[in-house]
Amino acid sequence: LGHQWTLRIYPGGTSNSDDEMVSLFLKKVSNKGIKIDLGFSVKDSNGQHGEQIGFKYVNVPARKSNNGKTNFARRSNILISLVEGSLVIEVRMRLAEPAKTIPSPFIPENPACNAIQKMFMDEKSSDVVFEVQHLDSGESNPEKKAKITPTTFYAHRLILQTCAPQLAEMCGGPMENGSSPPVPISIPNVTPKIFHHILNYVYGGEMA
């Protein structure tokens, strides 16, 4: 795995071991971190695994460190596993696989909201017309007031009925079949800018 290791065995255990227990540690001497699955086992003369530690995940830091078990096995069990007077220990290491992340399911964006917003002020598909005329309250001359051109807003009866019923009520009953353009509906006492914000909000836009 590209690292240097030493195996340390303490037949009499360490200061933290129980009586008659053998301690076993694997020490990394190279200065580089690694994440591994680590396991130990003692092999007897028949090649059978005796005392062992199954694979466990170990995050070995870059600095030198020991990984193993203080109470690995009883000394008496180790002695009967000797092969011609030698202790055979198998060390098993493998690179730890990174945790697999489950991708989030693909959920397509609902196009209805965007479609409705795109219909805002669409003259071609509209069946309702509003006219808003902002009169300067300081202007007293009726002739000058009459010269101010109203601002036209285009809307859709079905959207108004669903999202702005009070505006829908101003449109009267159902439209009659025919190609004649809708009669403009006058909106009093409101500026074109404010009515634009209101109508845009009805179509799913944000209130500025």
Side-chain angles (χ1 to χ4, degrees), residues 123-199:
E123 180 180 0
K124 186 176 181 180
S125 63
S126 67
D127 54 8
V128 175
V129 177
F130 293 106
E131 285 188 348
V132 180
Q133 181 169 306
H134 175 42
L135 298 178
D136 186 354
S137 59
E139 179 58 59
S140 58
N141 190 332
E143 293 183 359
K144 290 186 177 180
K145 288 185 180 182
K147 292 180 181 179
I148 299 176
T149 303
T151 302
T152 303
F153 294 88
Y154 300 97
H156 303 79
R157 186 182 298 265
L158 179 61
I159 295 176
L160 296 179
Q161 290 173 343
T162 305
C163 303
Q166 290 183 335
L167 286 177
E169 289 178 0
M170 300 177 64
C171 301
M175 288 186 60
E176 297 180 357
N177 294 330
S179 57
S180 58
V183 178
I185 301 169
S186 179
I187 303 295
N189 303 323
V190 65
T191 66
K193 182 177 180 180
I194 292 178
F195 190 76
H196 180 277
H197 288 314
I198 294 173
L199 199 59

Side-chain angles (χ1 to χ4, degrees), residues 44-182:
D44 60 20
S45 57
N46 296 320
Q48 300 296 318
H49 295 276
E51 300 290 339
Q52 59 180 312
I53 301 176
F55 274 118
K56 69 173 183 178
Y57 171 76
V58 179
N59 184 4
V60 185
R63 63 182 181 277
K64 297 178 181 180
S65 60
N66 292 321
N67 294 278
K69 198 168 184 180
T70 303
N71 295 317
F72 172 63
R74 299 195 68 84
R75 191 159 51 249
S76 57
N77 293 339
I78 293 292
L79 291 174
I80 62 176
S81 299
L82 296 178
V83 180
E84 297 181 356
S86 299
L87 178 62
V88 180
I89 297 179
E90 181 180 274
V91 180
R92 302 181 300 279
M93 288 185 288
R94 65 189 179 194
L95 289 174
E97 295 183 1
K100 296 181 179 179
T101 57
I102 301 176
S104 301
F106 172 72
I107 302 177
E109 183 180 355
N110 191 326
C113 292
N114 289 334
I116 292 176
Q117 290 178 13
K118 290 179 179 179
M119 294 172 65
F120 175 61
M121 292 293 290
D122 182 21
E123 180 180 0
K124 186 176 181 180
S125 63
S126 67
D127 54 8
V128 175
V129 177
F130 293 106
E131 285 188 348
V132 180
Q133 181 169 306
H134 175 42
L135 298 178
D136 186 354
S137 59
E139 179 58 59
S140 58
N141 190 332
E143 293 183 359
K144 290 186 177 180
K145 288 185 180 182
K147 292 180 181 179
I148 299 176
T149 303
T151 302
T152 303
F153 294 88
Y154 300 97
H156 303 79
R157 186 182 298 265
L158 179 61
I159 295 176
L160 296 179
Q161 290 173 343
T162 305
C163 303
Q166 290 183 335
L167 286 177
E169 289 178 0
M170 300 177 64
C171 301
M175 288 186 60
E176 297 180 357
N177 294 330
S179 57
S180 58

